[in-house]
Amino acid sequence: MNNFFDLTLRELEATIENLGLKPYRARQIFKWVYQQGVVDFEEMTNLPKGLRITLRNLFRLSLPVVAEKVRSEDGTMKFGFMTEDDKIIESVLIPEQNRNTLCVSSQIGCKMACRFCVTGKIGFVRNLSPGEIVGQVMAVKLMRRDTRISNIVFMGMGEPLDNLDPVLKALEILQDQMGLDFSHRHITLSTVGLLDPLKLIPGRAQIAISLNAATNEKRSFLMPINRIFPVEQLIGFVRELKEPRRERVTFEYILIKDFNDSLEDAEALAGLLKNIRCKINLISYNESPYTEFLSPDRERVDRFHAFLLDRHFTAIIRDSRGQDVLGGCGQLGAGYLKAREGGA
Ligand code: SF4
C-alpha cells in the first residue's frame, strides 16, 4: 500500500480520475491532510463514504513516529523520528523572533564524507522517500499546532542533491497551493555543490552552498567532493545564475579554529566572491567527540566578519542553535555513532 505523503497532487488527481471520479476530490483530500491536519480518511466528511473506504484501501497515511524530542536551552527542538524500517531521522525546529525554521533531513547518513560533519562519519545508510521528507514537516506541524513553520531548510542529515528525484518531489508537495503552500523563497536547499543536479534548483528553492574554504587545497581537505567539483567550477556556476535580485545564493562558511579563520582566509574568500551578489553565513564550528576540529575564538570570528563587512559583503554570523542537544550544524546523527560504539 502506497504512502499518501509520497504523492504529488497531480498523482493523486490521476488516481482519483482512474477511479472514475472528478479531480476536485483530490484537491479536497490534499486540503484535509495538509491544511486541516486530518490524517484519517474516515474524518474527511465531505467525501462520499465509498471514496473514503477506497482511499483507506489504497493509501496509508504514514508519518514518521517521534522517538525522541529534546529541547535546547535556546528553545531549539530536536526530533528523532522512527521510520517504518526502524531507522532514525533527525529534524530540528529553530524558533526565531520572526520565523520558525524547520531543518529537515534528506538521507540517513551521507556519502559526502565531509571531514567536519558527524553525519558524514556514519557513511550512507539510505535515501529518504518524498513522503519521509514531507512527513518530517507534517509530523512537526501536527505536534506543534501553535507554531507556524515559516521556513524549511534542507540542512539536516544527507546531501539533498544526492537524492534528487525524491527531493524534487518533496519540494513540489511542500509548495502545492492546495497543501502546505510554501513559497520557494521560504525553502532553502543546502548543498556541497553537486553541479549537475544543482542546475535544476533555481526557481524551486533557494540555494545555499556549503563552501567552508576559499582554496581548493583547504576545501578538498574538508570536503572530498571538491576534488570532483573544484571551487572555480562552483563559483563559475553561481556567477552564471540569472537569479532575480532578491534570490541571492547563500554561501555557508563554517569557521574552524586555526584552519580557515584567519584574515588571510577572509581575504581569499573575499577575492573568490568578488562581484557576486550573495549572502555569507559564518557559522562557528560545533565541536564533537567524533571530529578533530575546534571552535574558533569569538574574537577571530568577529575579525573575519568585520573584514567581509568592510569589503561590502552581506555577511552574517549565524549563531549555531541547539548545540547542547546535538542539534547544531554538522552534529546530527551522533546517535548512530554512539550505537555503533556500543556494539549495537
Ligand atoms: S556536511 Fe552535509 S554533505 Fe557533508 S557529510 Fe555532512 S550531511 Fe553530508
Side-chain angles (χ1 to χ4, degrees), residues 109-114 116-120 156-159 192 210 223:
C110 184
K111 292 179 207 155
M112 298 299 134
C114 302
F116 53 82
C117 170
V118 169
T119 309
M157 288 201 280
E159 163 54 53
V192 292
S210 180
M223 306 171 75

Side-chain angles (χ1 to χ4, degrees), residues 106-107 109-123 154-160 162 190-193 210 212 222-225 252 254 329-332:
S106 54
Q107 296 179 315
C110 184
K111 292 179 207 155
M112 298 299 134
C114 302
R115 217 178 247 256
F116 53 82
C117 170
V118 169
T119 309
K121 305 278 175 205
I122 300 171
F154 283 72
M155 288 186 191
M157 288 201 280
E159 163 54 53
D162 186 41
S190 170
T191 176
V192 292
S210 180
N212 309 318
L222 285 180
M223 306 171 75
I225 194 69
E252 289 154 9
I254 298 176
C329 180
Q331 291 183 312
L332 296 185

